[in-house]
Amino acid sequence: HLYRQGEAAEHVFVLVDGTVKATSTHSRGFDTLLKIHGPGSLLGLSALRPNAVRDANGIAIGDINTVSFSASQFLRILEEDGALGLLLIRVLLKRQQQLHGRIRNILGNSVEQRLADVLLQLSAEAAINVGADAVVEISITHEDLSSLVISRRQYITQILGDFSSRNLIEISRKRIRITDPKKLQQIADA
């Protein structure tokens, strides 16, 4: 764990390399996957609140490399660098937009539509980190996908198999590559 829900939040992290899952642990003991962060992500922003306590877990998926700032250091940098402050606002607004979209999808879309949308979002985020011309592979388990989509893993596996047979995606061990983003977008928008 990079950090654990409920502990004092004293640092903000920049994820330089690797992947970190943000999860929320419920009182019944199960975790909900909130987001998967890739390189360039700001993590642990709860540290910027007064009397800060972590509201989520930050779990490394494999090896990661981060740069850590104390909350006071980070706030001082924001005060001195207006452009960085604007960037942080954009990051927070993007997260809010994603959260609102996720709520809309959960309430109004089929599992197939939600899965298509999540795959497209993950692919777009991965493309930002590797460049537009690179072949983008999403590194994720079916279990994590089912948590993001709010469905059962078996159903996600079935839909992924259908997407693969329709040549919309290619699946290999814990990796998915979108081969027909336009048709996948049509499913997400249906």
Side-chain angles (χ1 to χ4, degrees), residues 66-168:
T66 64
V67 176
S68 172
F69 298 91
S70 71
S72 60
Q73 280 178 311
F74 196 80
L75 289 170
R76 193 169 36 257
I77 292 169
L78 288 176
E79 288 173 357
E80 294 170 1
D81 188 345
L84 185 59
L86 288 173
L87 178 62
L88 178 59
I89 290 170
R90 287 186 186 112
V91 166
L92 295 174
L93 289 172
K94 178 73 172 174
R95 288 184 186 175
Q96 180 185 36
Q97 178 186 25
Q98 289 172 337
L99 175 63
H100 291 172
R102 190 169 176 197
I103 292 169
R104 258 191 321 276
N105 283 343
I106 290 167
L107 296 175
N109 290 351
S110 70
V111 174
E112 183 181 56
Q113 289 172 301
R114 295 193 315 259
L115 179 57
D117 188 60
V118 164
L119 290 173
L120 290 166
Q121 284 181 24
L122 292 171
S123 179
E125 290 174 11
I128 290 170
N129 296 321
V130 297
D133 296 334
V135 173
V136 177
E137 287 190 339
I138 305 164
S139 179
I140 191 166
T141 65
H142 291 200
E143 190 67 36
D144 285 344
L145 271 175
S146 68
S147 187
L148 284 173
V149 172
I150 314 293
S151 184
R152 296 178 49 137
R153 186 195 54 76
Q154 295 87 343
Y155 194 38
I156 295 301
T157 299
Q158 178 185 348
I159 296 170
L160 288 171
D162 178 56
F163 286 175
S164 179
S165 70
R166 292 161 58 189
N167 296 316
L168 305 176

Side-chain angles (χ1 to χ4, degrees), residues 5 23-33 57 147 150:
Q5 183 175 328
T23 68
S24 178
T25 303
H26 298 271
S27 59
R28 294 184 184 161
F30 64 91
D31 283 347
T32 298
L33 180 60
N57 303 297
S147 187
I150 314 293

